[in-house]
Amino acid sequence: MSEPNPPRRPLATFLRPHAGSQADADAAPLAETSAPSADASQVTADDTAQALVDPVAEAAAMAGEVPVQASATISAQVPAAAAEPTLSQAEPVFLRGGGHRLRTPRWQWAMVAALSLLLLLQIALADRARLAADASTRPWVAGLCRVLRCDLPAWREPAAFTMISRDVRPMPQQAGALQVQASIRNDARWAQDWPVLRLSLSDADGRVIGSGVFEASDYLGAGARTAGLLEPGQSAQIAFQVKEPSASTVAFNFEFL
């Protein structure tokens, strides 16, 4: 008795695994394209999973079962360092601690110092009259004028003049006229111009009956222009005539202005 022929399998049964394999093969490039940032280790894992799935699908096709497609998906996780730029990469180059810093050349600092010194010298020369009138600033202003050959106003300190001797007496040849003679000395630290004198006349009761202010031209006469300055410690004699305001004049007083 002959054995019955086994039933023939449809052709679709033999083609189904190949279709699934082709679909998986087509899906693999798409997966690789959709995740371009995956590294070499992830691509190797996908290839291994695909190699394991294909034999299972072929065995199921031979048994007449519907193959179950298994897929291994490895999520590509971008490292935090690559996803977000660090502060040193995001900030501008000139703000980075290790960036190149421009340094000012030394000759520029020297030029700034020279210009500042020149400005101070110009201010001192323009205001030398006021600076020369101060005892604390006059020495260096005087030294500056000696170097630059500039004119410096004479020191003026009336309180530094000292009256060494004085005498007021009537003139015998002229009635109502008084002859004034005095000796003065400059006790200041610097040379001074000749002082301005104030002479006050008083009666027996101490009342001022007359006064007058006398410049250097009044008590030096024609020699006032060539008299120059009174150096420190230098003394000089002065003499001049005044009109007596009253016959009751008995006292006099000198002041330096």
Side-chain angles (χ1 to χ4, degrees), residues 50-68:
Q50 184 67 28
L52 294 176
V53 170
D54 290 341
V56 175
E58 292 178 359
M62 295 297 294
E65 299 176 357
V66 178
V68 179

Side-chain angles (χ1 to χ4, degrees), residues 138-172:
R138 185 179 179 85
W140 66 268
V141 175
L144 179 63
C145 281
R146 281 195 297 268
V147 174
L148 301 179
R149 298 181 181 180
C150 59
D151 297 330
L152 190 66
W155 177 253
R156 189 175 184 277
E157 188 179 358
F161 285 106
T162 302
M163 184 71 67
I164 301 175
S165 63
R166 54 187 179 175
D167 184 24
V168 178
R169 63 182 60 186
M171 296 184 64

Side-chain angles (χ1 to χ4, degrees), residues 35 37-39 42 45-46 72-78:
S37 60
D39 54 5
Q42 295 173 352
D46 293 340
T73 303
I74 301 177
S75 60
Q77 297 181 354
V78 181

Side-chain angles (χ1 to χ4, degrees), residues 80-232:
E84 297 181 358
T86 59
L87 181 59
S88 61
Q89 296 176 353
E91 64 186 5
V93 177
F94 61 88
L95 294 179
R96 298 180 187 174
H100 179 68
R101 296 182 180 178
L102 297 178
R103 295 183 179 180
T104 304
R106 294 183 179 180
W107 64 269
Q108 292 187 4
W109 290 112
M111 182 176 294
V112 171
L115 292 177
S116 301
L117 181 60
L118 181 60
L119 179 61
L120 291 177
L121 291 178
Q122 291 179 350
I123 294 176
L125 290 177
D127 202 20
R128 64 180 182 275
R130 183 184 64 84
L131 296 174
D134 190 352
S136 60
T137 57
R138 185 179 179 85
W140 66 268
V141 175
L144 179 63
C145 281
R146 281 195 297 268
V147 174
L148 301 179
R149 298 181 181 180
C150 59
D151 297 330
L152 190 66
W155 177 253
R156 189 175 184 277
E157 188 179 358
F161 285 106
T162 302
M163 184 71 67
I164 301 175
S165 63
R166 54 187 179 175
D167 184 24
V168 178
R169 63 182 60 186
M171 296 184 64
Q173 295 84 4
Q174 296 181 7
L178 299 175
Q179 178 69 31
V180 180
Q181 293 180 347
S183 177
I184 60 176
R185 184 182 63 209
N186 178 25
D187 291 335
R189 292 181 291 174
W190 299 284
Q192 292 197 80
D193 203 352
W194 291 78
V196 177
L197 293 176
R198 175 184 288 171
L199 175 61
S200 300
L201 303 176
S202 304
D203 58 10
D205 296 331
R207 294 176 300 181
V208 178
I209 58 177
S211 64
V213 176
F214 303 92
E215 300 283 345
S217 57
D218 297 328
Y219 56 77
L220 293 180
R225 296 181 180 180
T226 59
L229 301 176
L230 283 174
E231 298 295 331

